[in-house]
Amino acid sequence: MIDAPRYAELAPPDRILMGPGPSDVHPRVLRAMSTPLIGHLDPAFLEIMDQVQALLRYTFRTGNQWTIPVSGTGSAAMEAAFTNLVEPGDTVLVPSNGYFGLRMAEMVRRAGGDPVPVAAPWGRPLDLEDVRAALAEHGPDVVAFVHAETSTGVLQPRVPELVAMAHDAGALVVADTVTSLGGVELEVDGWGLDVAYSGGQKCLSCPPGASPLTLGDAAMARIRERAEPMRSWYLDLSLLEHYWGDERSYHHTAPITNVYALREALRLVAEEGIEARWARHLRVAGALRAGLETMGLSPHADMAFWLPSLTTVRIPEGIDGKRVARRLLVEHGIEIAGGLGDLAGVVWRIGCMGHSARPANVMALLAALGGVIASEGGTVDQPAGLAAAAERLTPHWSGRVR
Ligand SMILES: *Cc1c(COP(=O)(O)O)cnc(C)c1O
């Protein structure tokens, strides 16, 4: 017997999501998700698929025919990229400076490839001279890197140079754009990226479940020329081609509601304008960073390669970082996160993504964080931090954010 009355109707607590994802979902996206299901082969749904693809191309800044949402979270799009592109015995250069670079290497290994790491410190960008040397030494088939490292708050600069270097060495380039798509400047075609994948719940502010992936002609050609079929049936793009391509034949049932959600989230991107959206992230997150710094906290990533959608800030000496994050959640309804891997216990990770990247959220977070740190015995100047942030959020403030 089950005690049914114990399981009341779902009523999640009110939260402001300022962690590394998920971010707050726009009410219009939630509304789209409550519209009726139709069949995934219904002509009306096929039209929705076309629209999602067009909106994704706009957001990725690409003309790639092969631009689709992969069923699953960001890691599914990531795995689709690696399992399709990498053949057993392929060498894949994986320069990495954080947790998600390590995940890439693991996926390459599982796809039968030979990942060659090029390590950079967690909190610094990749060193392009190290990458150049590794390209010459290993002659890889693929180079994979994380554009926006959510574990460290580092935005990789000089991407066009990195891509040109890899192309000159005959390698295709895969970029993890999970925390950059829809939040910070990203130019798939302009930068020459061969493959880019992302997720819904970061800067697109969509629930996780349908994850953007785009591939250029060179990458698709390589996939079509594979000597042996890839090991995953579910993520095999040569099979998915029959559903997302002209044939529209059944492969697996699309996560219809997630596709609705993504469509609405991308419509919001298009209405705002992609460049205006990048500018908003820069402005709102710039206020957050300024507020934290003025309050007396130290950002972990240098301004020169700071990632607006995710700011890492060092936990002050003598403060229990986990306890502070917990109190923020319980007492203020605000979610932030601690560090991963090398940065566990060292930093807090504060997201400023999509619909969460709003002035009121930044002010609420600074007020709450400053208050909680002070009540834990830390020294912060919360009012000064709030003033610094407010100044930058004033519409006609003309100073520099970065
Ligand atoms: C969140 C994230 C992922 C994984 O996405 P999931 O949706 O959690 O599967 C991959 N790469 C980066 C950089 C991320 O931030």
Side-chain angles (χ1 to χ4, degrees):
M1 280 289 281
I2 189 155
D3 176 18
R6 263 189 66 189
Y7 303 98
E9 187 179 349
L10 198 61
D14 250 339
R15 300 286 191 233
I16 297 174
L17 300 178
M18 302 283 282
S23 56
D24 286 338
V25 174
H26 195 285
R28 266 174 52 186
V29 173
L30 294 176
R31 237 165 22 235
M33 293 182 78
S34 64
T35 56
L37 281 204
I38 56 177
H40 66 123
L41 294 171
D42 186 315
F45 191 71
L46 300 182
E47 194 175 329
I48 289 170
M49 288 166 67
D50 287 341
Q51 293 171 351
V52 168
Q53 287 187 284
L55 288 161
L56 274 179
R57 288 186 193 107
Y58 168 76
T59 307
F60 267 129
R61 307 266 261 194
T62 184
N64 286 342
Q65 177 61 29
W66 258 94
T67 305
I68 61 166
V70 174
S71 305
T73 70
S75 302
M78 186 174 188
E79 194 134 46
F82 290 109
T83 45
N84 281 282
L85 204 59
V86 177
E87 289 198 74
D90 279 358
T91 300
V92 181
L93 202 66
V94 191
S96 80
N97 54 353
Y99 178 89
F100 290 101
L102 300 181
R103 183 178 293 184
M104 281 180 150
E106 178 59 21
M107 286 189 181
V108 167
R109 196 173 296 115
R110 287 176 185 227
D114 182 13
V116 177
V118 182
W122 287 38
R124 303 273 316 162
L126 304 173
D127 183 325
L128 296 200
E129 288 321 305
D130 289 352
V131 174
R132 192 190 305 280
L135 281 167
E137 187 185 341
H138 299 279
D141 302 284
V142 175
V143 174
F145 75 100
V146 178
H147 180 221
E149 239 316 336
T150 324
S151 64
T152 63
V154 168
L155 179 64
Q156 180 59 37
R158 300 165 65 191
V159 173
E161 255 176 279
L162 174 62
V163 175
M165 219 182 254
H167 284 170
D168 288 347
L172 294 178
V173 179
V174 178
D176 178 315
T177 63
V178 177
T179 296
S180 52
L181 182 69
V184 301
E185 186 184 5
L186 168 66
E187 306 275 358
V188 167
D189 287 0
W191 295 349
L193 297 168
D194 296 289
V195 179
Y197 60 82
S198 192
Q201 76 277 23
K202 313 276 169 110
C203 300
L204 298 178
S205 279
C206 204
S211 300
L213 171 68
T214 186
L215 302 100
D217 292 342
M220 274 317 283
R222 196 171 292 185
I223 290 167
R224 290 198 186 96
E225 288 158 11
R226 285 181 67 102
E228 60 171 272
M230 60 177 282
R231 298 295 165 88
S232 164
W233 177 87
Y234 192 69
L235 296 172
D236 187 338
L237 290 173
S238 68
L239 299 177
L240 279 168
E241 197 167 14
H242 302 301
Y243 179 57
W244 284 96
D246 295 333
E247 264 175 64
R248 302 296 193 189
S249 61
Y250 170 71
H251 174 260
H252 69 267
T253 311
I256 296 155
T257 302
N258 287 93
V259 174
Y260 290 172
L262 187 59
R263 179 180 180 276
E264 194 60 25
L266 293 168
R267 252 161 51 80
L268 286 162
V269 173
E271 280 171 26
E272 182 173 9
I274 188 71
E275 282 161 351
R277 193 175 174 96
W278 297 337
R280 168 168 61 87
H281 280 79
L282 204 54
R283 184 173 68 89
V284 176
L288 169 68
R289 182 173 166 126
L292 293 167
E293 261 188 297
T294 308
M295 202 181 279
L297 299 172
S298 311
H300 182 67
D302 222 72
M303 199 59 175
F305 36 83
W306 163 66
L307 172 62
S309 42
L310 196 286
T311 298
T312 41
V313 65
R314 295 197 194 108
I315 298 165
E317 201 72 39
I319 294 291
D320 179 342
K322 261 197 184 142
R323 201 179 128 84
V324 168
R326 177 96 200 135
R327 286 190 57 191
L328 277 184
L329 188 71
V330 173
E331 295 167 23
H332 299 271
I334 301 176
E335 179 172 281
I336 66 168
L340 279 179
D342 287 5
L343 296 180
V346 178
V347 298
W348 286 302
R349 293 184 299 149
I350 305 175
C352 201
M353 305 179 184
H355 189 54
S356 289
R358 281 176 290 158
N361 289 344
V362 165
M363 298 308 286
L365 171 78
L366 290 170
L369 182 62
V372 171
I373 293 173
S375 83
E376 293 280 321
T379 315
V380 281
D381 189 343
Q382 183 225 44
L386 285 168
E391 189 187 0
R392 277 163 182 77
L393 291 169
T394 304
H396 302 293
W397 186 74
S398 58
R400 281 163 50 85
V401 171
R402 55 180 313 187

Short mmCIF file of all heavy atoms in Angstrom, two decimals, residues 369-390:
data_model
loop_
_atom_site.label_atom_id
_atom_site.label_comp_id
_atom_site.label_asym_id
_atom_site.label_seq_id
_atom_site.Cartn_x
_atom_site.Cartn_y
_atom_site.Cartn_z
N LEU A 369 24.54 37.31 0.10
CA LEU A 369 25.87 36.73 0.29
C LEU A 369 26.68 37.56 1.28
O LEU A 369 27.31 37.02 2.20
CB LEU A 369 26.60 36.64 -1.06
CG LEU A 369 28.00 36.01 -1.04
CD1 LEU A 369 27.95 34.56 -0.57
CD2 LEU A 369 28.66 36.08 -2.42
N GLY A 370 26.64 38.89 1.11
CA GLY A 370 27.36 39.76 2.03
C GLY A 370 26.88 39.57 3.46
O GLY A 370 27.67 39.45 4.40
N GLY A 371 25.56 39.50 3.62
CA GLY A 371 24.97 39.34 4.95
C GLY A 371 25.36 38.01 5.58
O GLY A 371 25.74 37.95 6.76
N VAL A 372 25.30 36.94 4.79
CA VAL A 372 25.60 35.62 5.35
C VAL A 372 27.10 35.52 5.70
O VAL A 372 27.45 35.02 6.78
CB VAL A 372 25.18 34.49 4.38
CG1 VAL A 372 25.69 33.13 4.86
CG2 VAL A 372 23.66 34.45 4.23
N ILE A 373 27.96 36.01 4.84
CA ILE A 373 29.41 35.95 5.16
C ILE A 373 29.68 36.73 6.45
O ILE A 373 30.41 36.25 7.34
CB ILE A 373 30.27 36.51 4.00
CG1 ILE A 373 30.17 35.61 2.75
CG2 ILE A 373 31.75 36.62 4.41
CD1 ILE A 373 30.85 36.17 1.51
N ALA A 374 29.10 37.90 6.57
CA ALA A 374 29.32 38.71 7.78
C ALA A 374 28.82 37.96 9.01
O ALA A 374 29.50 37.94 10.05
CB ALA A 374 28.62 40.06 7.64
N SER A 375 27.67 37.33 8.90
CA SER A 375 27.12 36.64 10.07
C SER A 375 27.90 35.37 10.40
O SER A 375 27.76 34.80 11.48
CB SER A 375 25.63 36.35 9.89
OG SER A 375 25.46 35.16 9.16
N GLU A 376 28.72 34.91 9.46
CA GLU A 376 29.61 33.76 9.71
C GLU A 376 30.96 34.23 10.24
O GLU A 376 31.89 33.44 10.37
CB GLU A 376 29.82 32.96 8.42
CG GLU A 376 28.57 32.26 7.89
CD GLU A 376 28.25 30.95 8.62
OE1 GLU A 376 29.19 30.21 8.95
OE2 GLU A 376 27.06 30.71 8.86
N GLY A 377 31.10 35.53 10.47
CA GLY A 377 32.33 36.05 11.05
C GLY A 377 33.33 36.58 10.02
O GLY A 377 34.45 36.94 10.37
N GLY A 378 32.94 36.62 8.76
CA GLY A 378 33.84 37.13 7.72
C GLY A 378 33.80 38.65 7.66
O GLY A 378 32.88 39.29 8.18
N THR A 379 34.81 39.21 6.99
CA THR A 379 34.86 40.66 6.85
C THR A 379 34.52 41.02 5.41
O THR A 379 35.30 40.74 4.50
CB THR A 379 36.27 41.19 7.17
OG1 THR A 379 36.72 40.54 8.35
CG2 THR A 379 36.26 42.69 7.38
N VAL A 380 33.37 41.62 5.20
CA VAL A 380 33.01 42.12 3.87
C VAL A 380 32.32 43.46 4.03
O VAL A 380 31.70 43.73 5.07
CB VAL A 380 32.03 41.16 3.13
CG1 VAL A 380 32.74 39.96 2.54
CG2 VAL A 380 30.88 40.72 4.01
N ASP A 381 32.43 44.30 3.00
CA ASP A 381 31.73 45.57 3.01
C ASP A 381 30.54 45.44 2.05
O ASP A 381 30.62 45.81 0.89
CB ASP A 381 32.69 46.69 2.57
CG ASP A 381 32.07 48.08 2.78
OD1 ASP A 381 30.83 48.16 2.94
OD2 ASP A 381 32.83 49.06 2.76
N GLN A 382 29.45 44.89 2.63
CA GLN A 382 28.28 44.62 1.80
C GLN A 382 27.68 45.89 1.18
O GLN A 382 27.37 45.92 0.00
CB GLN A 382 27.25 43.84 2.64
CG GLN A 382 26.01 43.43 1.88
CD GLN A 382 24.77 43.72 2.69
OE1 GLN A 382 24.65 44.79 3.28
NE2 GLN A 382 23.86 42.77 2.73
N PRO A 383 27.51 46.99 1.96
CA PRO A 383 26.91 48.20 1.35
C PRO A 383 27.73 48.73 0.18
O PRO A 383 27.18 49.14 -0.84
CB PRO A 383 26.88 49.20 2.52
CG PRO A 383 26.91 48.37 3.75
CD PRO A 383 27.72 47.15 3.42
N ALA A 384 29.06 48.70 0.31
CA ALA A 384 29.90 49.20 -0.78
C ALA A 384 29.73 48.32 -2.02
O ALA A 384 29.68 48.81 -3.16
CB ALA A 384 31.37 49.24 -0.35
N GLY A 385 29.62 47.00 -1.80
CA GLY A 385 29.42 46.08 -2.92
C GLY A 385 28.10 46.35 -3.62
O GLY A 385 28.02 46.37 -4.86
N LEU A 386 27.06 46.57 -2.84
CA LEU A 386 25.75 46.86 -3.42
C LEU A 386 25.77 48.16 -4.21
O LEU A 386 25.21 48.25 -5.30
CB LEU A 386 24.69 46.94 -2.31
CG LEU A 386 24.27 45.58 -1.72
CD1 LEU A 386 23.44 45.78 -0.44
CD2 LEU A 386 23.46 44.79 -2.73
N ALA A 387 26.44 49.16 -3.66
CA ALA A 387 26.51 50.46 -4.35
C ALA A 387 27.25 50.32 -5.68
O ALA A 387 26.83 50.88 -6.70
CB ALA A 387 27.20 51.49 -3.45
N ALA A 388 28.33 49.56 -5.67
CA ALA A 388 29.12 49.40 -6.89
C ALA A 388 28.31 48.70 -7.97
O ALA A 388 28.36 49.06 -9.15
CB ALA A 388 30.40 48.61 -6.59
N ALA A 389 27.55 47.69 -7.55
CA ALA A 389 26.73 46.97 -8.52
C ALA A 389 25.61 47.86 -9.05
O ALA A 389 25.34 47.92 -10.25
CB ALA A 389 26.16 45.71 -7.89
N ALA A 390 24.96 48.57 -8.13
CA ALA A 390 23.83 49.42 -8.52
C ALA A 390 24.27 50.48 -9.52
O ALA A 390 23.56 50.79 -10.49
CB ALA A 390 23.23 50.08 -7.28
#
